[in-house]
Amino acid sequence: MKVLLIGGCGFVGSHVADALLDQGLKVRVLDLKPEAYRPPLHNVEYVFGDFGDSNTLFEALAGVDAVVHLASTTVPGTANLDPVADIKGNLISTVRLLGLLRNTGCRKFVYLSSGGTVYGIPQHDTVPETHQLKPINSYGIVKVAIENYLHMEQMLHGLSHVVLRASNPYGPRQGRLGVQGIIGTSLWKVVQGEPIEIWGDGSVIRDFVHVRDLAKLCVKALISDATGCFNAGSGTGASVNEIVEKIARTLEMKGLEPMTVTHTPGRAYDVPRIVLDITRAKECLGWTPQISLEEGIAESFEWVRNQISNS
């Protein structure tokens, strides 16, 4: 099987590329630019360009059997700033991609959606895939729209697809720009001696999944005959304050100076709690996350420290 991995040079995509290669699959990556933290892989074919461009997509789709679509031009914190750009960059580009797929032999599609935003404000402590979809920000609205288009493609054109509603991924190769999650952002700040910034009182609860666990789920979804939506998280929640405490303990265990924490006003689009029910992924795809939050934070801390010391 030859797989087109859209967004394969990003944080999550780089780990999915590793997992696909470990499975013995052929990989072609489509992304805007090379990976930020390691050189190109010798056994991966790269196409650099915008996945919203039809000519680039046509070139990248030639001869592939399946697509894993991870690319996004926004994150939850930026999508509301320009919803029109969010729609153009993500929804319209993906609909164009699906149209091109109808003229190829590619009939398998895995899409990375957002378990943290598509459900809106949860009505249950642990959220199953059957929960109502009522997102409260543009990022989640666009993700739901893409999910609906995928369902339409399956019903009308036979596209076998899996939607993975991921929680908050973290781990090595997560960027330092402050838009990719509390764990990665905080670790970069701590290692550089900067204060950690907490939105609100730190009581917001999220489900965090290690990026390698998420990458393995992407591969399982790709090679499975299963279709439909699957939550992709740890199945447990941790508050922002608990994350800060775990980072503090990591510093203490390594004999390092304690960090400084600052607080800023909360954000209206942050739901107070979201923890995903991952029973369906366990039962249908045979997947269970393996890396604990403590282990993952410690590993990520060492990776960030190595990046800074080698820069």
Side-chain angles (χ1 to χ4, degrees):
M1 181 189 292
K2 187 168 188 175
V3 181
L4 175 62
L5 179 57
I6 303 176
C9 290
F11 163 50
V12 175
S14 69
H15 289 276
V16 174
D18 292 341
L20 291 169
L21 293 171
D22 288 345
Q23 188 65 31
L25 302 174
K26 297 178 181 179
V27 179
R28 176 185 294 157
V29 164
L30 170 60
D31 215 320
L32 284 172
K33 56 186 179 180
E35 287 189 34
Y37 299 109
R38 65 178 183 178
L41 303 176
H42 72 276
N43 48 353
V44 169
E45 179 185 350
Y46 292 92
V47 176
F48 293 112
D50 187 347
F51 91 97
D53 178 73
S54 296
N55 291 330
T56 300
L57 275 178
F58 186 79
E59 175 189 353
L61 287 169
V64 301
D65 305 295
V67 172
V68 178
H69 179 11
L70 310 176
S72 178
T73 62
T74 59
V75 295
T78 63
N80 276 9
L81 299 177
D82 192 347
V84 173
D86 188 22
I87 292 167
K88 289 180 178 178
N90 294 304
L91 178 57
I92 292 177
S93 295
T94 301
V95 172
R96 183 182 295 115
L97 166 64
L98 295 178
L100 290 174
L101 276 177
R102 293 176 207 146
N103 300 317
T104 73
C106 177
R107 294 288 83 195
K108 183 70 176 184
F109 196 97
V110 175
Y111 176 64
L112 190 66
S113 186
S114 171
T117 63
V118 298
Y119 297 114
I121 299 175
Q123 304 301 309
H124 311 289
D125 285 343
T126 306
V127 181
E129 291 86 353
T130 54
H131 189 285
Q132 64 182 0
L133 302 180
K134 288 193 175 181
I136 60 172
N137 65 20
S138 178
Y139 188 82
I141 290 170
V142 168
K143 291 288 188 183
V144 171
I146 292 172
E147 289 188 18
N148 286 332
Y149 271 103
L150 285 168
H151 176 70
M152 183 189 78
E153 285 296 316
Q154 179 163 330
M155 298 300 294
L156 300 184
H157 305 289
L159 179 66
S160 176
H161 75 278
V162 173
V163 170
L164 298 178
R165 292 174 177 163
S167 60
N168 295 67
Y170 73 98
R173 303 180 210 146
Q174 193 166 27
R176 69 175 81 195
L177 297 179
V179 298
Q180 286 195 327
I182 178 68
I183 294 177
T185 300
S186 297
L187 291 175
W188 279 100
K189 287 181 176 295
V190 164
V191 174
Q192 295 176 106
E194 301 174 7
I196 291 178
E197 186 177 69
I198 295 178
W199 298 89
D201 62 4
S203 63
V204 167
I205 293 175
R206 292 291 180 267
D207 185 328
F208 297 90
V209 62
H210 194 280
V211 67
R212 286 201 303 276
D213 281 331
L214 177 57
K216 290 177 181 177
L217 177 58
C218 285
V219 175
K220 285 183 176 291
L222 183 68
I223 63 178
S224 170
D225 292 331
T227 61
C229 297
F230 296 85
N231 284 337
S234 66
T236 58
S239 70
V240 171
N241 288 330
E242 288 171 327
I243 294 299
V244 171
E245 290 172 6
K246 292 180 188 299
I247 294 174
R249 283 201 293 271
T250 298
L251 296 176
E252 183 180 358
M253 291 174 60
K254 296 180 181 297
L256 301 173
E257 292 293 323
M259 60 196 176
T260 302
V261 178
T262 63
H263 289 264
T264 58
R267 301 175 297 189
Y269 58 80
D270 281 331
V271 299
R273 171 190 169 91
I274 178 74
V275 180
L276 302 181
D277 183 342
I278 58 173
T279 302
R280 189 163 188 257
K282 289 180 177 180
E283 294 178 348
C284 298
L285 299 176
W287 172 82
T288 302
Q290 300 296 316
I291 302 171
S292 71
L293 193 53
E294 291 78 10
E295 177 187 355
I297 288 176
E299 179 201 16
S300 299
F301 174 83
E302 286 300 327
W303 179 83
V304 171
R305 187 154 68 165
N306 288 336
Q307 290 299 307
I308 292 177
S309 65
N310 294 330
S311 62

